[in-house]
Amino acid sequence: MTELKAGDPAPDVTLATGDGGTLALSQMRGHAIVLYFYPKDDTPGCTTEAMDFTARKAAFEMAGAYVIGVSKDDAASHAKFTGKHAITITLASDADGSVSDAFGVWKEKSNYGRKYMGIERSTFLIDAEGRVAEIWRGVRVPGHADKVLAAAEALGHAETNPLVS
């Protein structure tokens, strides 16, 4: 599989949402999407990242962008995680790994010499036409949400966001 790059059409995947429903990225056409992948609920880096995106949720909405976090955790784990940390962005479950595979974030990782497969912390900014506008791979959490917000604001799709009146 060829790695996604800016300008490519975003894969049309269906996400399992925390409320038991599903959301296809194709349903979001006309709106920018910040799709960020993180390894695991309620771990230090993942918690900080989710809280950073939550703190900027209104600014992302003003920029016309929806923020969706994706991990392999199930809906029950997401519910516990969001409740514990007052996270208000949408979290989606990728239990079967198909979404991670489609975006090329399921990678071999190494920790203290042990190799294993896991989600590479990555963020994809998808424009209103469904094309990948920008990609951040191997994300370092501090300052990341601000960088993504600046890029979302540069897309300028606030007029297409039904959350902005």
Side-chain angles (χ1 to χ4, degrees):
M1 178 177 175
T2 305
E3 191 168 276
L4 284 174
K5 59 187 178 307
D8 287 346
D12 186 18
V13 296
T14 300
L15 304 162
T17 58
D19 60 5
T22 59
L23 175 66
L25 286 188
S26 60
Q27 293 174 301
M28 303 292 291
R29 292 277 156 72
H31 310 285
I33 303 166
V34 173
L35 191 66
Y36 82 93
F37 292 84
Y38 65 99
K40 187 158 181 56
D41 286 347
D42 216 10
T43 56
C46 299
T47 300
T48 299
E49 186 174 29
M51 292 175 71
D52 286 351
F53 278 116
T54 292
R56 292 155 183 78
K57 182 180 179 183
F60 276 104
E61 290 173 354
M62 289 300 295
Y66 292 96
V67 178
I68 304 169
V70 180
S71 75
K72 290 185 67 103
D73 296 299
D74 63 21
S77 176
H78 285 337
K80 182 178 174 187
F81 181 46
T82 58
K84 180 178 178 181
H85 298 287
I87 294 165
T88 59
I89 57 169
T90 299
L91 297 182
S93 177
D94 181 28
D96 68 2
S98 61
V99 178
S100 298
D101 283 342
F103 280 84
V105 300
W106 187 247
K107 305 262 185 165
E108 184 178 87
K109 299 170 90 176
S110 180
N111 191 19
Y112 297 108
R114 183 178 72 88
K115 293 194 182 298
Y116 61 97
M117 296 300 290
I119 290 178
E120 174 188 50
R121 191 181 307 278
S122 304
T123 303
F124 297 80
L125 177 59
I126 302 167
D127 70 18
E129 289 75 43
R131 294 203 167 274
V132 176
E134 198 156 343
I135 301 170
W136 296 265
R137 294 190 181 274
V139 167
R140 298 289 178 240
V141 174
H144 178 63
D146 288 327
K147 292 175 191 170
V148 178
L149 177 58
E153 289 171 339
L155 285 179
H157 294 293
E159 69 282 356
T160 66
N161 189 341
L163 300 174
V164 178
S165 49

